[in-house]
Amino acid sequence: MQTLAVTEAITTIAEAERKFGLSRSESKDFFIEWYDQLPEINSSDRANLEILWRRYIYHRSGGHLLESTVMLLLVSPLLTIAGLYDPPFRIKAEESIAINISDSEETLQGRIDVLVLRDRLWIIVLESKKTMLSVWSALPQTLAYLMASPNGDRPNFAMLTNGDDIVFVKLEGKQYAMSQVLAPLVNQGELEVAWQVLRKIAEIEV
């Protein structure tokens, strides 16, 4: 039995699609959770998001941020404001996972930053200095992580971010799709949309 690290074995989208038999959905109706009937933001949450945004902009202006700093300044506060640290949701941080591929002697092993929403929403945090061009560099590994979900019979979601950009991913069956790139670094409104998407996904789970 050959054991490979996810980050080494799955380095391109083509590899992820080939190993897991995945295909990208081109239907606009496949991933409606990121744009359709998003929840409204109350005044308290909007005020908290503004504080979060200004704090991130302040620290980001000093240079690129490490993964731990992005988690501290942006991701964790965003999950808090979205209510994803409260019941009935559970957090599993830096959990080791094993991914078994059908009809293969390979076992892909990897680690992930945060796992929330009853094993169905994965939060992938990258170091901004290593992902200046795009968060897409983490998409192949993210698809592998989603394939490892114990709830593979239901839709699974992921949020990829390096702080500057946020992308949501949906995997259902053997199909996946992505949201447009949200850019909190550009304006507060982009961060508010990210909050809305997180709340929308949370409502699906409750």
Side-chain angles (χ1 to χ4, degrees):
M1 179 75 69
Q2 184 180 9
T3 300
L4 301 172
V6 168
T7 53
E8 295 176 359
I10 307 292
T11 58
T12 67
I13 296 174
E15 287 177 328
E17 292 179 341
R18 176 177 57 81
K19 284 182 177 291
F20 301 115
L22 301 177
S23 62
R24 181 175 176 177
S25 175
E26 298 181 359
S27 171
K28 294 182 179 180
D29 297 326
F30 179 78
F31 191 5
I32 63 174
E33 291 86 355
W34 80 266
Y35 67 84
D36 184 54
Q37 297 183 341
L38 296 178
E40 295 185 2
I41 305 176
N42 60 39
S43 58
S44 176
D45 287 333
R46 178 168 279 111
N48 286 330
L49 288 170
E50 181 178 1
I51 293 172
L52 169 58
W53 181 73
R54 293 189 181 281
R55 182 182 297 135
Y56 178 77
I57 294 299
Y58 169 74
H59 288 281
R60 180 64 176 82
S61 66
H64 294 294
L65 303 176
L66 299 177
E67 172 190 351
S68 58
T69 308
V70 172
M71 177 67 75
L72 181 66
L73 289 176
L74 183 73
V75 177
S76 186
L78 180 59
L79 294 177
T80 299
I81 298 171
L84 300 186
Y85 283 153
D86 303 316
F89 309 120
R90 296 280 184 180
I91 302 296
K92 296 179 183 178
E94 297 183 346
E95 171 131 337
S96 295
I97 62 170
I99 304 171
N100 296 314
I101 305 176
S102 301
D103 301 324
S104 174
E105 294 184 353
E106 293 180 338
T107 297
L108 305 185
Q109 294 181 336
R111 297 183 67 84
I112 197 166
D113 298 288
V114 179
L115 175 63
V116 300
L117 283 179
R118 301 174 185 174
D119 296 347
R120 289 184 58 203
L121 172 61
W122 303 72
I123 308 297
I124 316 297
V125 183
L126 306 90
E127 293 184 7
S128 61
K129 70 174 185 177
K130 293 183 179 180
T131 55
M132 294 173 59
L133 297 178
S134 174
V135 293
W136 302 119
S137 60
L139 181 58
Q141 294 92 334
T142 298
L143 292 174
Y145 292 141
L146 291 176
M147 287 298 296
S149 171
N151 297 297
D153 58 331
R154 303 177 65 189
N156 287 272
F157 302 90
M159 184 184 84
L160 288 67
T161 184
N162 56 11
D164 295 355
D165 299 322
I166 295 176
V167 172
F168 289 91
V169 180
K170 177 181 180 179
L171 175 70
E172 184 171 8
K174 293 290 186 177
Q175 288 193 306
Y176 70 94
M178 296 154 288
S179 71
Q180 72 177 36
V181 178
L182 302 174
L185 190 62
V186 175
N187 62 63
Q188 180 184 340
E190 298 283 275
L191 187 61
E192 292 181 357
V193 174
W195 178 93
Q196 289 177 298
V197 177
L198 287 170
R199 285 306 310 163
K200 178 72 172 182
I201 294 174
E203 290 174 359
I204 296 173
E205 296 299 307
V206 175

